[in-house]
Amino acid sequence: MSQQGYVATPPYSQSQPGIGLSPPHYGHYGDPSHAGSPPGMMKPAGPLGAAAPGGMLPQGPSPPGPHQFGQNGAHAQGHLPQRFPGPPPVNSAAPSYAPYSPSTQSSYPSPASTASVTQLASQLNAMHINSYGTGMAPPGQGPPGPPSAPLFQGLPRPPQPSIMQPGSQVLPPPPTALNGPGASPLPPSTHRQDALPGPAPLNAQYQPPPLPGQTLGTGYSPQQASYGPQMAGGQLSYPGGFPGGPAQMAGPPQLQKKLDPDSIPSPIQVIENDRATRGGQVYATNSRGQVPPLVTTDCVIQDQGNASPRYIRCTTYCFPCTSDMAKQAQIPLAAVIKPFATIPSNETPLYLVNHGENGPVRCNRCKAYMCPFMQFIEGGRRYQCGFCNCVNDVPPFYFQHLDHIGRRLDHYEKPELSLGSYEYVATLDYCRKNKPPNPPAFIFMIDVSYSNIKNGLVKLICEELKTVLEKLPKEEQEETSAIRVGFITYNKVLHFFNVKSNLAQPQMMVVTDVGEVFVPLLDGFLVNYQESQSVIHNLLDQIPEMFADSNENETVFAPVIQAGMEALKAADCPGKLFIFHSSLPTAEAPGKLKNRDDKKLINTDKEKILFQPQTNVYDSLAKDCVAHGCCVTLFLFPSQYVDVASLGLVPQLTGGTLYKYNNFQMHMDSQQFLNDLRNDIEKKIGFDAIMRIRTSTGFRATDFFGGIFMNNTTDVEMAAIDCDKAVTVEFKHDDKLAEDSGALIQCAVLYTTIGGQRRLRIHNLSLNCSSQLADLYKSCETDALINFFAKSAFKAVLHQPLKVIREILVNQTAHMLACYRKNCASPSAASQLILPDSMKVLPVYMNCLLKNCVLLSRPEISTDERAYQRQLVMTMGVADSQLFFYPQLLPIHTLDVKSTALPTAIRCSESRLSEEGIFLLANGLNMFLWLGVSSPPELIQGIFNVPSFAHINTDMTTLPEVGNPYSQTLRMIMSIIQQKRPYSMKLTIVKQREQPEMVFRQFLVEDKGLYGGSSYVDFLCCVHKEICQLLN
Ligand SMILES: [Zn+2]
C-alpha cells in the first residue's frame, strides 16, 4: 500500500491499513456501505440520531475493564464543579445540555436537564486519564511539574528528566491540603469553574486572574500547573457531596458513568500554562525541530536561522524516519504556511537581498535558494545543497572565504546565510514575458440592482470609497500608492466609467453583451486616484442617483468577473476586484444560477453536491483569473439563498476573500462591513504569485490546501496572497529520513509587490527526524493538527459523504492516541485513557471540528452558511482556526479596569457561565456579549448607560461610549480581540433566557450541540472506547 494510505487525507477513498493494533476498519473508508458501523464504532442508533458524531456516543456503560479514573486535564483542587443554578424548567429558560440524556437531542429548551452535569463525582474513579509527557519515565516518579516545559526543549533526544513527568499515578494530595490554609492559589480557570449557586458576591466567585504572559508565580504552583494525578478519589474526596446537585437527579443508568468535566483536559489550562512558561519571552529560532510557543501565547520571535512560527507552523516538529513509522502513528505531517504574515512592530521585518543582474544564488539541481542549510566547502569555492546534496560551484560574484569552523566570513552579513526568512529582488527571468510588471490595479464593481439602491447599500459603498481610496497601500518608501483604480457598476448589464483626470464629468459606457464581455475603454478606466480624485468623487456622488429609478432586479455575476479580468489583462497588470453583490445571478448570461438549495440532500451521499459549484463556468473563470493575476474579493449581502458554493469559488481559488452579511441592515451591519472593506483594501498583499515547496531528500509535499490553484503537482499558483491567508501543505515520505540531517523545508513565493516590483520571499524551516515514536508525539502541535484536519476534511466534503469524513476523523484521532498508548506510554491498566502531553486537547478540538456546521448534516443550518464557513477555513492560519473552532470566552464582570490585560478565558460551556456574570465570546467571525439575568446593575449602567437588565437594547451592534472605566476597558478589550483578526466581528448582545441565546449557545462548544454533536465529555468517552477497541 502506498504511503498515502496512512492518514485521513483526501481523496478519502483509499483503503487504509490499520496500525497493527486492531482490525483494519480503516479499510472501509470511502465505501459508505461499510461505513455505518465498523468495528469499534459506536452504533449511531437511538435518540442521538444518525448525525455523527452524536451518533457515536456511547449508549451503554463505559468501556469494559476495571475503570479507574485518573485525571490529567484539570486542576489539583478539591472543589466540585458546581454550576450556577439553572432556571426553573419552564419555557425557553432551561439550559439544555444533558449530554447523556436520550431526550435532549436538539431539544431547546430542555427542561429538567439543568442539573445533569452535576452528578459526576460518583464516577470519578471509574476511569483513568493520564498524561505522560513523553511516555518515557515510569509513572509515579518525581513531582508533577509544568507539563509544557519539557516539550519545548530544543534537544529532545535524551530522555526527559522525570521532574517533567506529570507522574500520572501519584495519588492526589488529600483534598484538605488543597483547600486548607497554606494551599497554593488555584489556577485561574478553576476559579471560574466554581461559580457558587445563588447570588453570591461576585468577588467570591472570581478572583483576579493572572495576566497573560505572567510567569509562574503566585498563580501557579507547579502542582497546579500540571495535568498530573490530581484525580480525587471520587466522592470521598468531596465531603458533603454536591452542593447544587439535585437529589432528584434521575436519568438513564448512563448518567452514572459521567465524567467530571473538570477532570478532563482543559484547553484553557493548556493555553494558560504555555503563556505562563513562555509568554513575554524571546523565542529564538536557532535550533532544529524546536516546538514554538502556542499561537495563543504572546512572545517576541527572533529569527536565528529558521522561519518564525508566524510564517510556518507544523503538525509535528519531528518527522518519523520511515514511512512505516508514519503509518503506524497516523499523525499527519504538515506545515501551515502564512508567507505574508503580519509581523509585530517589535520584531525585525524581512531583509531584502539584491544581487542585481546575477539574481538569487540557487542550487543547480533542485533550484533551492541560498539559505542557512547550504554547506560551504573547499575553502568557500563550492557548496553542498542541504536539500538534494548536489555540490555546486559558488558563483564568482558570491565567493567568500571560510573561517576556522568552515563558515563564510560574511555569514552574519548576509540574511540568506543566517536567517530563516528574507526576500530577494527577482530579475527579469522571474517576470512574465521577461519584463518588469506594472503596478497592480483595484477595480470596484458595484451591484446597482433595485434592492441595493433601495436599502442604501450603494450609497454607503460610494461614500466609503471616497475615504478609503485615500488609504490605498503603498511601498514604505513611496509617497503615494502606485495602485491604479477603476469603477464598474452592473445589474444585468455592465457600466464602465471613464474617470480620466482631465474630464469634467465621468463618462459611462454600457456593455449589454454579457455573453462575451469586452472592455469598451482602455484610456481613462484605470487611473491614479490622486490625479483623478475630483472626477472619481464626482462619479461616486452620482452613482446612487444614476440608478435611483432603476427597477432592475436581475443580476449577472460571471460576466462581472470576466469584465474585471479583461480590464486588467488589457492594462497588462495584476490586480484585485472588489465586488459588492447581493443576489442569485439569474439574468441570462454565462454563470447564470438557479436556486438548487435542496435540504433533502442532507445526510445522503449527495450532500456533497451542495458544496460543489452549480456550473463549471466559475471554475474555468477562476483558472483564467489566476493566469492573469486577477484576485477577486467578494462582499455578499444575501437576503436569501445565493449559492455561495458557486459565487465563492472564484474568490477562493484566486486568493481573494469572501465576506458575507446576511440580511444586511444599514443601521446594524454597516459598521462591520465598512471595517472589513477598509481592512481589505489596506492589507499587505502580494500579486501574481507562485509558491514552491522544496524539501530535503526522503520526503516531499504531496497535497496543498488553501486559496490556491494548481496546474501541476508542484507549483502553487495564487492570483494574490495577503497577510491573512495560509496554505497548508502535507508531506509524505518517499524514502528514509536520517536523524542527523533532519528534514528541511524551503518555501519560496515569487510575487509582485503593491509597488510593482518582482520579488522572492523565502522561508526555511528545519525539523528533526527520529526513529522513536515518542519523539514524534512529543513534538506535535495540536493547533496545527486541527488546522490540517479541518482543511483536509473540508476539501473532502466536495467528494465524500460527510458521514464517512466524520468517521475518519474520529478513527484517526483514536488511532493516533492508541498508537501512543501502545508504544510510548508506560504500562498501565488497559482502561486508562492516556493522552500525550502535546495532544491533550486534541479530543476537545477535534470534537469542535466535528460539530462545525460544515460537517454537521443538519437542515437547520443554511446551505450558504455552510459553504461560506467551509471556504473561510480553507485559507485560515493556525491562530485563526484555533479561535474559530474553540472560541474565546471571557468573564467581563471581573474586569480589572486598571489593567490592559485581557481577563483569563474560561472554558466554552454553559456550566462556566453564571447568571450574575457578563461574558464576552469571540470566534473570529462573531462576538457575543452575554448577560446573566442577575448581572450587577452597576456594570449594566457602566457598559450600557441604562439602569437595569430590562432596559438593555439588544439591537445594538456596537457598545455606547460611556465615560466610565467599565465601558472603556470593555471596549478596549473588544478592540484588542478584534485587532489581529482578518474579519470584523459583529457584536450581538444576548440576554440570558431570551430567544437569541440559542445562537450564542452554538458556540459553547464543550456542550452538546443544539443541532447535534457530542459534548466534549461524551466525545472523550467515545474516543476512549475506540482506543480500547484498537488496543484489544
Ligand atoms: Zn539542491
mmCIF file of all heavy atoms in Angstrom, residues 351-378:
data_model
loop_
_atom_site.group_PDB
_atom_site.id
_atom_site.type_symbol
_atom_site.label_atom_id
_atom_site.label_comp_id
_atom_site.label_asym_id
_atom_site.label_seq_id
_atom_site.Cartn_x
_atom_site.Cartn_y
_atom_site.Cartn_z
ATOM 1 N N TYR A 351 14.526 41.194 5.618
ATOM 2 C CA TYR A 351 15.582 41.870 4.853
ATOM 3 C C TYR A 351 15.374 41.591 3.368
ATOM 4 O O TYR A 351 14.874 40.538 2.983
ATOM 5 C CB TYR A 351 16.952 41.348 5.265
ATOM 6 C CG TYR A 351 17.391 41.833 6.622
ATOM 7 C CD1 TYR A 351 17.144 41.060 7.761
ATOM 8 C CD2 TYR A 351 18.046 43.055 6.766
ATOM 9 C CE1 TYR A 351 17.544 41.504 9.017
ATOM 10 C CE2 TYR A 351 18.440 43.499 8.017
ATOM 11 C CZ TYR A 351 18.191 42.718 9.138
ATOM 12 O OH TYR A 351 18.573 43.170 10.363
ATOM 13 N N LEU A 352 15.809 42.563 2.569
ATOM 14 C CA LEU A 352 15.707 42.394 1.124
ATOM 15 C C LEU A 352 17.112 42.239 0.553
ATOM 16 O O LEU A 352 17.972 43.086 0.751
ATOM 17 C CB LEU A 352 15.017 43.621 0.513
ATOM 18 C CG LEU A 352 14.835 43.621 -0.994
ATOM 19 C CD1 LEU A 352 13.969 42.446 -1.442
ATOM 20 C CD2 LEU A 352 14.197 44.935 -1.452
ATOM 21 N N VAL A 353 17.332 41.130 -0.116
ATOM 22 C CA VAL A 353 18.647 40.845 -0.696
ATOM 23 C C VAL A 353 18.597 41.175 -2.183
ATOM 24 O O VAL A 353 17.673 40.755 -2.879
ATOM 25 C CB VAL A 353 19.003 39.344 -0.518
ATOM 26 C CG1 VAL A 353 20.373 39.048 -1.092
ATOM 27 C CG2 VAL A 353 18.916 38.951 0.949
ATOM 28 N N ASN A 354 19.575 41.919 -2.641
ATOM 29 C CA ASN A 354 19.585 42.272 -4.056
ATOM 30 C C ASN A 354 20.934 41.906 -4.669
ATOM 31 O O ASN A 354 21.951 42.524 -4.369
ATOM 32 C CB ASN A 354 19.317 43.770 -4.219
ATOM 33 C CG ASN A 354 19.039 44.139 -5.666
ATOM 34 O OD1 ASN A 354 19.310 43.334 -6.575
ATOM 35 N ND2 ASN A 354 18.520 45.334 -5.888
ATOM 36 N N HIS A 355 20.953 40.895 -5.503
ATOM 37 C CA HIS A 355 22.182 40.502 -6.189
ATOM 38 C C HIS A 355 22.243 41.102 -7.590
ATOM 39 O O HIS A 355 22.953 40.595 -8.455
ATOM 40 C CB HIS A 355 22.290 38.978 -6.278
ATOM 41 C CG HIS A 355 22.554 38.311 -4.953
ATOM 42 N ND1 HIS A 355 23.239 38.911 -3.934
ATOM 43 C CD2 HIS A 355 22.224 37.077 -4.495
ATOM 44 C CE1 HIS A 355 23.314 38.095 -2.902
ATOM 45 N NE2 HIS A 355 22.706 36.972 -3.205
ATOM 46 N N GLY A 356 21.451 42.129 -7.829
ATOM 47 C CA GLY A 356 21.489 42.786 -9.133
ATOM 48 C C GLY A 356 21.145 41.830 -10.256
ATOM 49 O O GLY A 356 20.251 40.990 -10.115
ATOM 50 N N GLU A 357 21.888 41.957 -11.338
ATOM 51 C CA GLU A 357 21.590 41.124 -12.501
ATOM 52 C C GLU A 357 21.885 39.653 -12.265
ATOM 53 O O GLU A 357 21.395 38.785 -12.976
ATOM 54 C CB GLU A 357 22.407 41.608 -13.703
ATOM 55 C CG GLU A 357 21.919 42.942 -14.239
ATOM 56 C CD GLU A 357 22.770 43.407 -15.422
ATOM 57 O OE1 GLU A 357 23.717 42.667 -15.797
ATOM 58 O OE2 GLU A 357 22.471 44.491 -15.945
ATOM 59 N N ASN A 358 22.712 39.371 -11.280
ATOM 60 C CA ASN A 358 23.033 37.964 -11.011
ATOM 61 C C ASN A 358 21.823 37.198 -10.498
ATOM 62 O O ASN A 358 21.680 36.004 -10.724
ATOM 63 C CB ASN A 358 24.145 37.866 -9.968
ATOM 64 C CG ASN A 358 25.457 38.372 -10.524
ATOM 65 O OD1 ASN A 358 25.936 37.880 -11.536
ATOM 66 N ND2 ASN A 358 26.027 39.385 -9.869
ATOM 67 N N GLY A 359 20.974 37.899 -9.780
ATOM 68 C CA GLY A 359 19.814 37.230 -9.209
ATOM 69 C C GLY A 359 20.199 36.331 -8.054
ATOM 70 O O GLY A 359 21.371 36.223 -7.675
ATOM 71 N N PRO A 360 19.221 35.671 -7.472
ATOM 72 C CA PRO A 360 19.474 34.814 -6.313
ATOM 73 C C PRO A 360 20.403 33.648 -6.666
ATOM 74 O O PRO A 360 20.420 33.186 -7.802
ATOM 75 C CB PRO A 360 18.087 34.270 -5.966
ATOM 76 C CG PRO A 360 17.121 35.096 -6.722
ATOM 77 C CD PRO A 360 17.829 35.680 -7.879
ATOM 78 N N VAL A 361 21.172 33.208 -5.687
ATOM 79 C CA VAL A 361 22.017 32.022 -5.874
ATOM 80 C C VAL A 361 21.169 30.787 -5.612
ATOM 81 O O VAL A 361 20.489 30.696 -4.578
ATOM 82 C CB VAL A 361 23.211 32.063 -4.899
ATOM 83 C CG1 VAL A 361 24.071 30.819 -5.072
ATOM 84 C CG2 VAL A 361 24.025 33.326 -5.113
ATOM 85 N N ARG A 362 21.198 29.848 -6.562
ATOM 86 C CA ARG A 362 20.339 28.666 -6.430
ATOM 87 C C ARG A 362 21.107 27.399 -6.754
ATOM 88 O O ARG A 362 22.050 27.407 -7.535
ATOM 89 C CB ARG A 362 19.157 28.771 -7.406
ATOM 90 C CG ARG A 362 18.369 30.030 -7.264
ATOM 91 C CD ARG A 362 17.251 30.117 -8.286
ATOM 92 N NE ARG A 362 16.226 29.111 -8.061
ATOM 93 C CZ ARG A 362 15.116 29.020 -8.784
ATOM 94 N NH1 ARG A 362 14.909 29.872 -9.787
ATOM 95 N NH2 ARG A 362 14.221 28.086 -8.540
ATOM 96 N N CYS A 363 20.670 26.321 -6.136
ATOM 97 C CA CYS A 363 21.254 25.016 -6.430
ATOM 98 C C CYS A 363 20.967 24.655 -7.889
ATOM 99 O O CYS A 363 19.857 24.819 -8.377
ATOM 100 C CB CYS A 363 20.653 23.960 -5.502
ATOM 101 S SG CYS A 363 21.071 22.269 -5.968
ATOM 102 N N ASN A 364 22.002 24.152 -8.555
ATOM 103 C CA ASN A 364 21.829 23.817 -9.968
ATOM 104 C C ASN A 364 20.833 22.692 -10.193
ATOM 105 O O ASN A 364 20.129 22.675 -11.194
ATOM 106 C CB ASN A 364 23.170 23.387 -10.569
ATOM 107 C CG ASN A 364 24.099 24.566 -10.703
ATOM 108 O OD1 ASN A 364 23.642 25.691 -10.947
ATOM 109 N ND2 ASN A 364 25.398 24.339 -10.504
ATOM 110 N N ARG A 365 20.785 21.777 -9.233
ATOM 111 C CA ARG A 365 19.939 20.609 -9.472
ATOM 112 C C ARG A 365 18.495 20.848 -9.028
ATOM 113 O O ARG A 365 17.574 20.756 -9.818
ATOM 114 C CB ARG A 365 20.498 19.386 -8.770
ATOM 115 C CG ARG A 365 19.733 18.107 -9.162
ATOM 116 C CD ARG A 365 19.986 16.973 -8.192
ATOM 117 N NE ARG A 365 21.295 16.365 -8.379
ATOM 118 C CZ ARG A 365 21.877 15.594 -7.467
ATOM 119 N NH1 ARG A 365 21.265 15.345 -6.317
ATOM 120 N NH2 ARG A 365 23.066 15.063 -7.690
ATOM 121 N N CYS A 366 18.298 21.152 -7.748
ATOM 122 C CA CYS A 366 16.912 21.235 -7.245
ATOM 123 C C CYS A 366 16.368 22.659 -7.243
ATOM 124 O O CYS A 366 15.202 22.872 -6.947
ATOM 125 C CB CYS A 366 16.803 20.624 -5.857
ATOM 126 S SG CYS A 366 17.550 21.636 -4.552
ATOM 127 N N LYS A 367 17.218 23.617 -7.567
ATOM 128 C CA LYS A 367 16.810 25.020 -7.670
ATOM 129 C C LYS A 367 16.461 25.653 -6.320
ATOM 130 O O LYS A 367 15.822 26.717 -6.279
ATOM 131 C CB LYS A 367 15.625 25.191 -8.642
ATOM 132 C CG LYS A 367 15.889 24.666 -10.044
ATOM 133 C CD LYS A 367 16.964 25.490 -10.728
ATOM 134 C CE LYS A 367 17.280 24.943 -12.127
ATOM 135 N NZ LYS A 367 18.549 25.490 -12.637
ATOM 136 N N ALA A 368 16.847 25.008 -5.250
ATOM 137 C CA ALA A 368 16.625 25.627 -3.938
ATOM 138 C C ALA A 368 17.432 26.913 -3.858
ATOM 139 O O ALA A 368 18.502 27.030 -4.465
ATOM 140 C CB ALA A 368 17.033 24.668 -2.825
ATOM 141 N N TYR A 369 16.911 27.880 -3.105
ATOM 142 C CA TYR A 369 17.583 29.169 -2.967
ATOM 143 C C TYR A 369 18.609 29.104 -1.842
ATOM 144 O O TYR A 369 18.474 28.336 -0.889
ATOM 145 C CB TYR A 369 16.557 30.266 -2.680
ATOM 146 C CG TYR A 369 15.625 30.471 -3.849
ATOM 147 C CD1 TYR A 369 14.483 29.681 -3.995
ATOM 148 C CD2 TYR A 369 15.908 31.407 -4.836
ATOM 149 C CE1 TYR A 369 13.640 29.842 -5.081
ATOM 150 C CE2 TYR A 369 15.071 31.575 -5.925
ATOM 151 C CZ TYR A 369 13.937 30.788 -6.053
ATOM 152 O OH TYR A 369 13.114 30.935 -7.144
ATOM 153 N N MET A 370 19.639 29.921 -1.992
ATOM 154 C CA MET A 370 20.671 30.019 -0.951
ATOM 155 C C MET A 370 20.007 30.244 0.404
ATOM 156 O O MET A 370 19.100 31.067 0.540
ATOM 157 C CB MET A 370 21.612 31.178 -1.300
ATOM 158 C CG MET A 370 22.739 31.395 -0.304
ATOM 159 S SD MET A 370 23.716 29.908 0.031
ATOM 160 C CE MET A 370 24.442 29.582 -1.578
ATOM 161 N N CYS A 371 20.474 29.476 1.394
ATOM 162 C CA CYS A 371 19.834 29.550 2.706
ATOM 163 C C CYS A 371 20.784 28.970 3.747
ATOM 164 O O CYS A 371 21.855 28.451 3.400
ATOM 165 C CB CYS A 371 18.521 28.768 2.690
ATOM 166 S SG CYS A 371 18.738 26.989 2.510
ATOM 167 N N PRO A 372 20.435 29.055 5.014
ATOM 168 C CA PRO A 372 21.354 28.546 6.046
ATOM 169 C C PRO A 372 21.626 27.033 5.954
ATOM 170 O O PRO A 372 22.512 26.544 6.641
ATOM 171 C CB PRO A 372 20.618 28.873 7.358
ATOM 172 C CG PRO A 372 19.714 30.005 7.025
ATOM 173 C CD PRO A 372 19.299 29.774 5.610
ATOM 174 N N PHE A 373 20.889 26.327 5.121
ATOM 175 C CA PHE A 373 21.096 24.877 5.040
ATOM 176 C C PHE A 373 22.127 24.483 3.977
ATOM 177 O O PHE A 373 22.348 23.309 3.718
ATOM 178 C CB PHE A 373 19.778 24.150 4.744
ATOM 179 C CG PHE A 373 18.641 24.548 5.645
ATOM 180 C CD1 PHE A 373 17.340 24.595 5.160
ATOM 181 C CD2 PHE A 373 18.863 24.877 6.985
ATOM 182 C CE1 PHE A 373 16.288 24.964 5.985
ATOM 183 C CE2 PHE A 373 17.804 25.242 7.815
ATOM 184 C CZ PHE A 373 16.525 25.293 7.305
ATOM 185 N N MET A 374 22.739 25.462 3.330
ATOM 186 C CA MET A 374 23.781 25.150 2.340
ATOM 187 C C MET A 374 25.129 25.080 3.065
ATOM 188 O O MET A 374 25.455 25.968 3.859
ATOM 189 C CB MET A 374 23.829 26.223 1.252
ATOM 190 C CG MET A 374 22.504 26.443 0.531
ATOM 191 S SD MET A 374 21.927 24.956 -0.321
ATOM 192 C CE MET A 374 20.520 25.582 -1.242
ATOM 193 N N GLN A 375 25.913 24.056 2.751
ATOM 194 C CA GLN A 375 27.182 23.843 3.448
ATOM 195 C C GLN A 375 28.344 24.227 2.517
ATOM 196 O O GLN A 375 28.529 23.607 1.473
ATOM 197 C CB GLN A 375 27.280 22.357 3.835
ATOM 198 C CG GLN A 375 28.488 22.009 4.655
ATOM 199 C CD GLN A 375 28.418 22.631 6.044
ATOM 200 O OE1 GLN A 375 27.402 22.556 6.714
ATOM 201 N NE2 GLN A 375 29.512 23.273 6.461
ATOM 202 N N PHE A 376 29.101 25.234 2.918
ATOM 203 C CA PHE A 376 30.208 25.668 2.065
ATOM 204 C C PHE A 376 31.431 24.784 2.310
ATOM 205 O O PHE A 376 31.752 24.438 3.450
ATOM 206 C CB PHE A 376 30.528 27.141 2.317
ATOM 207 C CG PHE A 376 29.480 28.032 1.747
ATOM 208 C CD1 PHE A 376 28.350 28.351 2.495
ATOM 209 C CD2 PHE A 376 29.581 28.509 0.444
ATOM 210 C CE1 PHE A 376 27.356 29.149 1.958
ATOM 211 C CE2 PHE A 376 28.582 29.305 -0.097
ATOM 212 C CZ PHE A 376 27.466 29.627 0.654
ATOM 213 N N ILE A 377 32.114 24.427 1.220
ATOM 214 C CA ILE A 377 33.275 23.539 1.302
ATOM 215 C C ILE A 377 34.388 24.065 0.388
ATOM 216 O O ILE A 377 34.197 25.072 -0.303
ATOM 217 C CB ILE A 377 32.891 22.076 0.890
ATOM 218 C CG1 ILE A 377 32.186 22.094 -0.470
ATOM 219 C CG2 ILE A 377 31.985 21.436 1.938
ATOM 220 C CD1 ILE A 377 31.870 20.715 -1.014
ATOM 221 N N GLU A 378 35.500 23.346 0.414
ATOM 222 C CA GLU A 378 36.635 23.652 -0.465
ATOM 223 C C GLU A 378 37.033 25.129 -0.386
ATOM 224 O O GLU A 378 37.131 25.830 -1.404
ATOM 225 C CB GLU A 378 36.337 23.245 -1.913
ATOM 226 C CG GLU A 378 36.151 21.744 -2.045
ATOM 227 C CD GLU A 378 35.831 21.328 -3.482
ATOM 228 O OE1 GLU A 378 36.242 22.038 -4.420
ATOM 229 O OE2 GLU A 378 35.163 20.294 -3.641
#
